[in-house]
Amino acid sequence: MRFSRRTQSNGAQVDLIPMIDVVFQLILFFLVSTTFAMLPGIELNLPQSSTAEGASSGGITITMEQSGGIYFNETPVDYQSLSEMLASFDDVPADARETYPVRLEADDLVTNGAIVKVFDVLRANGFTQVNLRTSEY
């Protein structure tokens, strides 16, 4: 005689593996599709302007801190080495320097005299298209 065994069920069980897979896929989707803003590591309090216009981010970026620090594309420089770096800048030919974009980011408390010194260094090396970076109201 054969006896059949009955198995008792403890109720319905939820399989968590498919849910974990879906959550993992959502996390990957949001990580890949999110754009991250590339902000410089230099803290600045930019002056505010209500008539500011957007400018291209290509070209040279010169940053001036309130403490007197000057950066050429995030490389610390002084006025003399800034002039030397601009003179030996090989990314643009000497005859195209007048139209090559230069972005000047100066802290709100940087003096006008310091900004004029940077303008003089830029003009002495042939760069005349300078955009001043500001923040909106």
Side-chain angles (χ1 to χ4, degrees):
M1 182 177 201
R2 287 189 125 165
F3 292 102
S4 65
R5 262 176 99 163
R6 274 194 169 169
T7 58
Q8 290 183 345
S9 73
N10 296 347
Q13 293 182 355
V14 177
D15 190 15
L16 294 178
I17 302 290
M19 186 179 71
I20 292 172
D21 288 342
V22 169
V23 170
F24 182 68
Q25 292 294 326
L26 285 173
I27 290 171
L28 284 178
F29 172 76
F30 286 115
L31 283 175
V32 170
S33 65
T34 304
T35 58
F36 296 99
M38 297 298 289
L39 300 174
I42 304 165
E43 286 290 323
L44 291 179
N45 184 18
L46 295 172
Q48 294 184 347
S49 172
S50 62
T51 60
E53 295 179 6
S56 66
S57 60
I60 298 171
T61 301
I62 298 174
T63 307
M64 301 177 70
E65 292 180 318
Q66 176 188 356
S67 61
I70 302 172
Y71 296 88
F72 177 83
N73 290 340
E74 298 184 13
T75 303
V77 295
D78 58 4
Y79 292 108
Q80 180 64 32
S81 60
L82 175 64
S83 180
E84 293 169 1
M85 290 180 88
L86 288 170
S88 65
F89 191 66
D90 295 333
D91 289 356
V92 59
D95 58 342
R97 288 185 175 199
E98 289 183 5
T99 59
Y100 195 75
V102 177
R103 186 170 61 174
L104 180 61
E105 300 174 343
D107 192 274
D108 193 25
L109 299 176
V110 172
T111 63
N112 190 33
I115 294 173
V116 169
K117 285 181 186 178
V118 171
F119 274 126
D120 285 342
V121 170
L122 287 168
R123 274 187 259 134
N125 288 288
F127 295 95
T128 58
Q129 185 176 351
V130 181
N131 298 312
L132 294 174
R133 184 166 176 231
T134 60
S135 62
E136 295 182 32
Y137 282 123

